[in-house]
Structures are given as structure tokens and as C-alpha cells.
Amino acid sequence: MNSLVQDAAAAGARVGLKSDEIVIRGGKPLIGRIEVRGAKNLATKAMVAALLGDTPSILRDVPDISDVNVVRGLLSIHGVRITDPARGEMILDPSNVESAHFAEIDAHAGSSRIPILFCGPLLHRLGEAFIPDLGGCRIGDRPIDFHLDALRAFGAVVDKNYNGIHLTAPNGLKGAEIELPYPSVGATEQVLLTAVLAEGVTELRNAAIEPEIMDLIAILQKMGAIVNVEPNRVIFIEGVKSLRGYTHRAINDRNEAASWAAAALATKGDIFVEGAKQQDLMTFLNVFRKVGGEFDVHEDGIRFYHPGGELKPVVIETDVHPGFMTDWQQPLVVALTQAHGVSIVHETVYENRFQFTEALNDMGAQIVVHKDGLKGAERRVARREFEQAAVITGPTPLHGADIRVPDLRGGFSHLIAALTAEGESKISNVGIIARGYEHFVAKLRKLGADFDFAG
Ligand code: EPU
């Protein structure tokens, strides 16, 4: 078994998925109501933040996804006692934080990218940290140089070896002036989680300001931290001597909401996504409307639907918040295969996030990926040297095929493609989808999808 297949099977097994292959009979609109709960990209970080408190934290709306289970395992081996008094509620008690054994930590190698965020909190609590080799979706190189440079600026000593990274802080961690080369989500979180207990003031420039980061800052403020978000991506953090536990309801998963919206559009369906919030999705909603989708904003969620008529092509460019999120691009591309004309998606965040289009082409789509981006007029912003572009010519009817999930969002786009296509599709590695989409099988059933698990 190669590691992608193993990861997929492990991710699915963590949330009780019995088979890693799904057979979908497509061509039916998805219609109904489903719920999104806490965001994967907040809940996992909020769990790490609990390490910083002197007293227990309570996190609500924790999604039942395998990335949460990975972080849970890592916290547990570091002595954090975790209990679940109610559905989606987690109590994290960090009173007995302790070093974990190498073998226990290493068992988590390759399972997620979140372990890198343990560095600052463990250095504060234990004076040292060991981080296994990171996992996460294979959508580019995904280096951690910004993280390690920031930690060094705080005074950490970083020793990289073939097993992972060992960090110590012989003189403690002190506030620092840090300018990120790019507004990285993870590196911003790294700085926040380290600076709140570092001695003195930290000035972070070129910070990411995604809604999930604002929610993490809200959590840290509840814990007793002093964090000022200033104009122009500048954040000042005044270190404090100690923090207490928090009680917090996680921000809802806007990426999951956008994925279901794209599924409604591509399958000519009508999905009410309970928990979707307009404010966090404004950029997505503009594009959704331009493509020809309709939505009604309600107090408890958003109804996304295909109002009939032709879908229209768009040119989009992924970006950091408040731009068009890279995570929205993959599910939306399936709907763009049904638009009348040529759409262009410029991917500026990751080097390798168009692998999923190969399967779409096998199903009848016409997508050409320009590995070095488009030169000339269509290449609107030459911001990153590895910018790529996908040119999607539609409309193309999709037909069933045997396909293999390459990464989380790409996997969801494969589900949408199979649901849109006429005929039967077999999708393998579906366990990867369980990393970030809560109960996606039950939700598909609720929306009337026709499928079985193979094997
Ligand atoms: N980068 C570096 N060096 C670093 C860190 C990042 O070069 O030290 C580069 C990355 O290689 C990438 C870019 O900076 O090209 C942006 O990476 P960022 O650090 O912002 O991403 P991340 O923190 O690793 C989070 C989400 C991703 C989401 C991105 C962008 C989590 C667990 N992951 O990743 O979510 O796409 O921010 O918003 O929060 C997903 O949910 O499917 C997913 C991949």
C-alpha cells in the first residue's frame, strides 16, 4: 500500500468509515438541508491553544472529523485529559502537561500539519518540544521555514533531524519583531500561540487575517491574552505571565459550506446549509452569483441553488483572506465545467492544487492546467513564482469513471463530479474526505444521493 492509500484508510477509519471506496450513480440533483459545525481550520488550533491555559478549556461545535482525532491523540499523549460531555463539546484539561515518548509522537508522523503548532505551547509548558514529520494534503511543498524562523526569533533553538524537529528554549521565549514573507495562516497562528506567553511585546507584520485566525485571537483574549489587530496586517501581542482556560463555540466551517454550495450548483440542486454565515463567505457568494448560482441568506444558514438557465464562465484568482480562498477553488471547478464558455482559475497559494482535474478530464471535462501559470494578459497578478492556472472550457457533459481522491478538497470535488455525471463512478481513497468533511456520507444520503460503499 502506498502512503496516500494508507493515510486515506486511516483517516476514514478514525471516523468509522468502513470502506475506502464509494460507488456513485450520478445525474440527480442534491436537494435538502444539512448542517455545518465548527471549522476544521479553527477547532484543531483551538484545541492546541488549550495547552496554554492553567485551567480546563471548553470547546463547542467540535466537528467529528479525523483531523480533530489526530490532534486529540497528540494532546492526550502530552498529558491533556480530554472528555466529551455532550455532542460536539470537548473539555480539555491541561493541568498535567508532560513530555511524550518519542514512539508515541512518531506514531502521529505524517497524519496532519497541526503538530507544528504545538511548538510554542510546549516550549512554554515544558521547555522543549519534539514535532514529528508533518502530513496534510499533498498540494505543494508546504515548507515550514516561516514557522521555524519565527520560533528562532522568539529565542527557540531548532534542531532538525530525520525523525522530526527538536526544539528547546534555553533562555526562555522573548517577544520579537517578525515580518512574514507571505501572510501564511499557519505561521500567523504559530506566532500568536507563542507570543501570548513570551516575555515582552511581539510585533507581527504581514499576518494572515482569515476569519479562523480572528476566532483564535478571540479565544486567546478569553484566556487573558492581549492581542491587538492593527491596520495593514500588523498584529501586536503583549506577553502575559499566565493564561486561563476558555469557553468557546468554534466558528462554523465556511469551506465546507462553500463545498456544499458548489455541489448544489453543479448538480442543479438546492441545498440549505445550516450554519453557513454570509459574512465569512462574501467573496465566495459574489463568484457564486456571477457563475449563475442563487442564494438566500437566512438567520440560521444559507440556501444555495441552481435557479435554472445557463451557468456563466468566470476568471478567478485564489488569494489570502479577504480574497477567494484556495480551498473553494476545487469544488467550484466542477460547476465551471458546466458553464457556457471559458473559465480561468489562477491558483496563487499552492504549487500543486490542480491534480484533481485529471479525474475530471477522465469524466469528460475539458480542463488544461498551465503549470507555470498563464503568460500575457490573462495572467493577472504575477505574485508568486509558482502560480498556476487551469483553463476550463464548458459546458461538457460528465460521465462516470473510476477515480482516485488526491487530497481533501480535490476529493470533495470528485464526489461532486460523480454526482453530476451520468452513469456510475467508483471513487477510491474517500477516507481522505473524512479528514475535513463531517459525516459526509450521512449528509449525501440526506440530500438524496444514490451511492453504495464498495467491498
Ligand atoms: N508557506 C511557506 N513556508 C511556511 C508556511 C507556508 O512557504 O513556513 C507557504 C505554503 O507552502 C503555501 C502558502 O505559504 O504555499 C500558504 O500556506 P499557509 O501557511 O497559509 O497554509 P497552512 O496554514 O498550511 C491553512 C489551512 C489550509 C488552507 C491554507 C490557506 C489548516 C490546517 N490548513 O494551511 O487548509 O488552504 O491555510 O488558507 O488550517 C484545507 O482545509 O483543505 C487546507 C489545505
Side-chain angles (χ1 to χ4, degrees):
M1 259 206 288
N2 70 33
S3 68
L4 182 65
V5 177
Q6 276 171 338
D7 289 356
R14 271 186 211 110
V15 292
L17 215 60
K18 292 200 175 58
S19 163
D20 215 27
E21 260 180 28
I22 191 170
V23 175
I24 294 183
R25 289 164 291 275
K28 269 179 70 186
L30 290 186
I31 297 173
R33 182 183 179 106
I34 46 122
E35 174 198 29
V36 295
R37 295 198 295 160
K40 163 178 92 74
N41 293 348
L42 177 275
T44 44
K45 288 76 179 273
M47 290 169 73
V48 180
L51 269 174
L52 295 164
D54 292 335
T55 53
S57 290
I58 303 174
L59 184 60
R60 302 212 165 99
D61 261 358
V62 183
D64 183 13
I65 53 174
S66 67
D67 271 16
V68 161
N69 291 341
V70 169
V71 180
R72 183 187 188 108
L74 268 171
L75 285 169
S76 302
I77 60 173
H78 284 98
V80 178
R81 225 181 122 248
I82 302 181
T83 47
D84 311 75
R87 174 178 178 256
E89 183 169 309
M90 198 178 253
I91 301 180
L92 303 108
D93 182 353
S95 340
N96 294 308
V97 172
E98 58 190 15
S99 296
H101 294 296
F102 170 75
E104 287 176 313
I105 302 177
D106 199 47
H108 290 80
S111 50
S112 155
R113 291 185 62 74
I114 309 296
I116 190 72
L117 296 179
F118 278 61
C119 294
L122 286 183
L123 282 171
H124 283 302
R125 294 298 304 259
L126 303 170
E128 67 168 341
F130 176 73
I131 308 300
D133 264 350
L134 298 178
C137 285
R138 294 162 177 80
I139 50 182
D141 279 351
R142 308 193 77 179
I144 50 168
D145 49 336
F146 307 163
H147 294 253
L148 298 183
D149 288 347
L151 288 159
R152 287 190 190 99
F154 284 109
V157 175
V158 179
D159 177 22
K160 279 207 256 185
N161 61 41
Y162 62 91
N163 288 322
I165 307 158
H166 186 247
L167 298 109
T168 48
N171 302 312
L173 297 171
K174 307 228 165 29
E177 279 181 29
I178 297 166
E179 173 148 7
L180 296 178
Y182 179 77
S184 148
V185 168
T188 300
E189 292 159 346
Q190 180 77 262
V191 171
L192 287 166
L193 291 167
T194 308
V196 284
L197 283 180
E199 190 189 321
V201 177
T202 294
E203 178 179 343
L204 174 62
R205 298 192 163 271
N206 207 21
I209 50 166
E210 269 61 7
E212 293 77 15
I213 290 179
M214 292 303 134
D215 209 37
L216 180 63
I217 292 175
I219 288 174
L220 294 170
Q221 189 176 53
K222 284 178 176 175
M223 298 178 81
I226 301 173
V227 181
N228 281 304
V229 181
E230 311 260 333
N232 301 324
R233 299 188 175 278
V234 177
I235 303 181
F236 281 97
I237 305 120
E238 293 175 38
V240 294
K241 289 219 161 13
S242 67
L243 295 169
R244 54 185 173 271
Y246 63 81
T247 299
H248 192 78
R249 187 174 294 282
I251 187 175
N252 286 358
D253 200 315
R254 66 199 170 108
N255 296 342
E256 187 188 350
S259 300
W260 289 112
L265 194 58
T267 64
K268 299 197 170 138
D270 188 335
I271 304 181
F272 187 94
V273 183
E274 193 181 321
K277 295 258 176 354
Q278 182 187 14
Q279 278 76 359
D280 299 335
L281 283 163
M282 284 190 151
T283 310
F284 176 82
L285 293 174
N286 288 332
V287 173
F288 191 78
R289 180 168 277 163
K290 283 208 271 190
V291 177
E294 261 309 337
F295 57 89
D296 303 330
V297 178
H298 295 250
E299 256 177 39
D300 57 344
I302 303 180
R303 174 187 168 209
F304 297 95
Y305 57 102
H306 188 310
E310 288 183 357
L311 296 187
K312 295 178 279 291
V314 280
V315 176
I316 47 180
E317 180 186 317
T318 64
D319 211 336
V320 292
H321 185 77
F324 190 91
M325 286 280 293
T326 165
D327 305 277
W328 301 335
Q329 163 278 94
Q330 291 164 294
L332 193 70
V333 162
V334 185
L336 295 180
T337 66
Q338 304 309 304
H340 288 244
V342 178
S343 297
I344 304 176
V345 177
H346 296 273
E347 171 60 55
T348 74
V349 181
Y350 290 111
E351 301 96 316
N352 196 8
R353 216 174 193 183
F354 285 127
Q355 292 167 76
F356 73 102
T357 59
E358 284 171 26
L360 268 50
N361 284 341
D362 289 347
M363 299 174 83
Q366 266 187 48
I367 304 174
V368 179
V369 175
H370 296 259
K371 291 240 179 292
D372 299 319
L374 287 168
K375 305 279 181 256
E378 288 114 324
R379 186 174 182 177
R380 299 193 310 158
V381 183
R383 185 175 304 130
R384 316 217 40 199
E385 69 273 21
F386 49 74
E387 184 181 45
Q388 294 186 329
V391 177
I392 305 130
T393 306
T396 46
L398 300 182
H399 53 78
D402 282 7
I403 54 182
R404 179 176 287 269
V405 168
D407 59 74
L408 174 65
R409 308 286 167 203
F412 198 84
S413 74
H414 286 184
L415 284 183
I416 303 176
L419 292 159
T420 307
E422 286 300 330
E424 195 172 277
S425 297
K426 187 157 89 184
I427 312 183
S428 49
N429 283 354
V430 283
I432 291 182
I433 301 171
R435 286 196 36 222
Y437 289 91
E438 182 177 44
H439 306 156
F440 72 92
V441 176
K443 288 178 186 174
L444 286 174
R445 250 187 241 299
K446 237 186 134 192
L447 296 171
D450 183 4
F451 65 91
D452 294 307
F453 272 99

